[in-house]
Each structure stands twice: as C-alpha cells, then as structure tokens.
Amino acid sequence: MFNYLRKRFTSHIRERSRRRARLVSKDGRCNIEFGNVEKSRFVFLIDIWTTILDLRWRYKMTIFISAFLGSWFLFGLLWYVVAYIHKDLPEFNPSINHTPCVENINGLTSAFLFSLETQVTIGYGFRCVTEQCATAIFLLIFQSILGVIINSFMCGAILAKISRSKNRAKTITFSKNAVISKRGGKLCLLIRVANLRKSLLIGSHIYGKLLKTTITPEGETIILDQVNIEFVVDAGNENLFFISPLTIYHIIDKNSPFFHMAAETILQQDFELVVFLDGTVEATSATCQVRTSYIPEEVLWGYRFAPIVSKTKEGKYRVDFQNFSKTVAVETPHCAFCLYNEKEAKAKEKKGYDNPAFVLSEVSETSDTKM
C-alpha cells in the first residue's frame, strides 16, 4: 500500500512539474517571463492605449475611477483657489453688490460639486460662472475640453476591452487530448475543434508548431525550437466551413517529426504541440487567433474520437458536446515506421522481381539416337 501511494505521489509530482513547464496553456495563455529588459518601463507609456487594453479588469477599473475622481478633485481645488483669490468666500464678508466669479461657492465641498457638474455637464443651475472673471471662463473651457478627452479615452478603452476579438476566441474550443490512429490508410495525429457560436469565422486557417529542445550539429542547444506542423481537413486547411465541429489531422509521414516516435516511447519524449486557428470574426470583421497546446501525456496513441453529429427526426443536425473529447480505442500500428514497412512489403508482394544471378542455358537437341 505504501509503495502504491508513493508511486502515485511521484507520478503526480512529475506530471505537475511537466505541466508547469508548458509554454502555452490549454486556454491559450503564454507562460513566459521577460527578465533584464534594458529599456525602462516608461516606454510602455508611449503606447498607452495598448498598455491600458492589456491591463486586467481590476487595474483598468481602478484607473477609470481614479481618472475621474482625480480630475474632479483637482479642478475643484482650482475653482476654490479662484474663489479665494477673488474673495468670493463667506469668510471675506463680501458686500451685497459683490459679483463672484462663480455663484454659490462657499467652500471646498461646493467647489468640488461645481467641478463635477461642469465636467459631466449635469448643469443643476444653482452654481454657475459669471462674466466677472476671465480666469474662471478660461478654467471652465479648459475643464470642459479635458473632460471630453478623459471621457472619450476611458469609455473607448472600456468598449475596446469588451469587444476585443480575444473574447470571441473563448467560444472556440479544442479537444482535451490529441489522438493518433489510422485515417485513410495513413497514420495521423487528430485533434477536434468546435465553434460554440452559430456565427462563423471567415477565412479560417489552422496550423501547428512543435516546440522541443534540439542540439545542432555544431553543439548548440536550442530551447523551444519550432518545427512546422501541417494540419488539414478533408477540404484543406484554409477557408474552413466552420459551422460544426471539425476533426483536423496531421499525416505522420517521413517528413513528420512524429515519424520516429512509437506508442511505447511517446511518453518519454519532451515536446509541446501548439495548435493555432486564425480567422476573421463575422460580426465585427476583427481578426482572431485561438491557440492551445498538447504535451506527450495528452497525446493518446491508438484512439479515435467518438462521433458527435447526428440527425434528428425533424431533419436538424444535432451536435452532442458531451462526447466532444471522448475517445474510442482502435487497432493502430505502434509506430509510423512499422506501417510504412508493412505497406512496402504488401506492395512488393504484388510485383515480380528479376534474379540477376539466374542464367538461362540452352540445351541442343540431337536427332540421332544411339541404341
């Protein structure tokens, strides 16, 4: 019992450490960190729009609230200073004929309320600017223009964050595992992908990258070396009609990096298969990219996906997502090389071969017979 628990714990720790090392998570997020960047972080303020869009919602809302509250309070202080300099405040005991710069500003609180009313164009009518002070008129114009800029920037950032095509990518899902089995007489790596919305992705294109550590003939070690993986469906890998779940596959031939892998050795390999799906969102015409990854433990050798599309009595096509990632064991060669040799042997059986060592010798016939 103790040995069993120890093995389970060891395998669990090994699996967690391996999963922690993956570059792309299952939901498409990249696990990478930049260190010792020479340029200062202030360079990100140059592209402030992208910086704001990339922030998480909690930081974005903090900036949103701080921008408005900060501008209201700052201009409230300026309005208070104008009233203080012009001696409009009650502590200066202004005369009855005194015309203030701003009506009904009695302190810092009323100055803050007037700043808020001005910037958000509420206009209650109780506090207003008079023609007595040119400074107050200039401050009113300046705050109105700055308020429009802040409103446009912050509201635009919120709208752009909500409508980003990144959110559309969350309605595209990949199967939990990839499988390897025969398809069309060839050994293939298959992955299932589905669009959870009825709106299409226009001009969809799917491809993959195999990330692994390689050593060049010169002895250089390349971490995260990228190898192109071509995925296709029966109609090609471009302009997919993505109305129902598709099963994409990669043919494991002599040019495939999976050609020298076998069912017994694939778990010992160190690689990560990253799959990309690019397309244009039909509703917004914005480009969208979906990505996921598979490590050796998530590649099942000798399985195929269970069918999920059926036809109802009403004539509609029904997709059962309960079986989306369900796999079924099938008979599969334990390596691509074996399948290739098997096909080659069968092809040789159907052909005849000349024997170069065979020599045809002619025998001369004699007409006389000796008794």
Side-chain angles (χ1 to χ4, degrees):
M1 182 66 181
F2 177 76
N3 292 333
Y4 172 77
L5 293 177
R6 185 178 63 181
K7 290 181 180 179
R8 293 279 296 181
F9 179 76
T10 304
S11 62
H12 178 69
I13 294 297
R14 189 185 300 113
E15 181 179 357
R16 285 195 59 184
S17 63
R18 193 156 191 175
R19 288 179 181 272
R20 198 183 302 121
R22 72 193 310 159
L23 178 65
V24 179
S25 63
K26 298 297 288 184
D27 57 357
R29 290 178 296 177
C30 296
N31 180 28
I32 191 168
E33 179 180 334
F34 297 101
N36 299 323
V37 180
E38 295 181 359
K39 293 186 178 180
S40 173
R41 292 185 180 271
F42 288 103
V43 297
F44 294 99
L45 296 178
I46 299 175
D47 188 13
I48 186 64
W49 179 254
T50 305
T51 302
I52 293 295
L53 289 183
D54 289 340
L55 289 176
R56 295 187 177 182
W57 275 108
R58 53 179 177 267
Y59 302 123
K60 187 185 295 292
M61 295 307 299
T62 300
I63 294 176
F64 183 86
I65 296 172
S66 301
F68 283 103
L69 288 179
S71 61
W72 295 340
F73 184 74
L74 175 62
F75 280 100
L77 289 177
L78 295 178
W79 286 115
Y80 179 81
V81 171
V82 169
Y84 184 86
I85 294 175
H86 198 253
K87 296 183 179 181
D88 299 335
L89 299 176
E91 55 261 29
F92 292 106
N93 296 320
S95 62
I96 299 176
N97 298 327
H98 179 77
T99 303
C101 292
V102 182
E103 296 282 357
N104 299 311
I105 287 187
N106 303 319
L108 186 59
T109 302
S110 57
F112 174 79
L113 293 175
F114 178 71
S115 173
L116 189 152
E117 295 169 15
T118 300
Q119 188 163 327
V120 300
T121 64
I122 294 177
Y124 289 123
F126 182 69
R127 301 179 183 88
C128 60
V129 177
T130 64
E131 67 276 8
Q132 185 68 23
C133 300
T135 305
I137 296 174
F138 173 79
L139 185 59
L140 177 67
I141 296 173
F142 182 72
Q143 184 177 6
S144 299
I145 295 175
L146 186 61
V148 171
I149 295 175
I150 294 176
N151 287 339
S152 301
F153 185 86
M154 298 308 301
C155 294
I158 296 295
L159 180 62
K161 181 76 170 179
I162 295 174
S163 61
R164 290 183 80 178
S165 56
K166 203 172 179 182
N167 298 325
R168 176 64 174 92
K170 295 182 179 180
T171 57
I172 306 295
T173 180
F174 288 88
S175 56
K176 182 180 179 182
N177 297 301
V179 298
I180 295 179
S181 60
K182 292 175 65 176
R183 186 183 182 95
K186 301 177 181 178
L187 192 64
C188 300
L189 183 142
L190 300 96
I191 296 173
R192 180 172 277 174
V193 58
N195 179 14
L196 301 182
R197 288 187 179 273
K198 292 185 178 180
S199 60
L200 301 179
L201 283 181
I202 304 172
S204 300
H205 173 64
I206 195 160
Y207 57 97
K209 300 285 185 182
L210 188 70
L211 308 179
K212 60 180 182 178
T213 302
T214 59
I215 300 177
T216 63
E218 295 77 16
E220 179 185 3
T221 302
I222 302 178
I223 301 177
L224 298 180
D225 186 26
Q226 301 184 15
V227 180
N228 289 328
I229 302 294
E230 294 294 334
F231 282 98
V232 295
V233 293
D234 293 335
N237 64 342
E238 294 185 359
N239 299 324
L240 305 177
F241 185 46
F242 204 7
I243 192 64
S244 63
L246 298 175
T247 300
I248 61 174
Y249 58 91
H250 163 70
I251 300 175
I252 304 178
D253 53 13
K254 290 185 177 181
N255 298 322
S256 172
F258 294 95
F259 184 75
H260 298 286
M261 298 183 189
E264 298 83 4
T265 61
I266 190 170
L267 294 179
Q268 303 172 6
Q269 303 293 325
D270 184 16
F271 67 85
E272 181 176 351
L273 175 62
V274 184
V275 184
F276 302 87
L277 174 64
D278 297 340
T280 303
V281 182
E282 186 179 30
T284 61
S285 298
T287 57
C288 170
Q289 184 182 87
V290 194
R291 52 186 175 266
T292 189
S293 71
Y294 299 92
I295 56 177
E297 288 82 1
E298 296 169 345
V299 179
L300 306 180
W301 196 295
Y303 288 84
R304 63 172 174 83
F305 291 110
I308 60 174
V309 180
S310 60
K311 197 172 183 179
T312 62
K313 296 180 180 179
E314 295 79 12
K316 293 184 178 180
Y317 292 94
R318 183 176 184 272
V319 179
D320 186 8
F321 281 96
Q322 185 177 1
N323 296 332
F324 179 72
S325 294
K326 186 177 180 180
T327 57
V328 180
V330 292
E331 183 179 354
T332 306
H334 75 283
C335 67
F337 189 74
C338 298
L339 179 62
Y340 177 79
N341 288 342
E342 180 183 349
K343 286 185 176 182
E344 195 176 44
K346 289 182 179 179
K348 287 181 179 179
E349 289 178 359
K350 299 179 180 180
K351 297 180 180 180
Y353 292 89
D354 294 332
N355 186 358
F358 178 78
V359 178
L360 178 62
S361 60
E362 296 183 357
V363 179
S364 60
E365 297 182 357
T366 59
S367 57
D368 296 336
T369 305
K370 296 181 178 181
M371 297 296 294

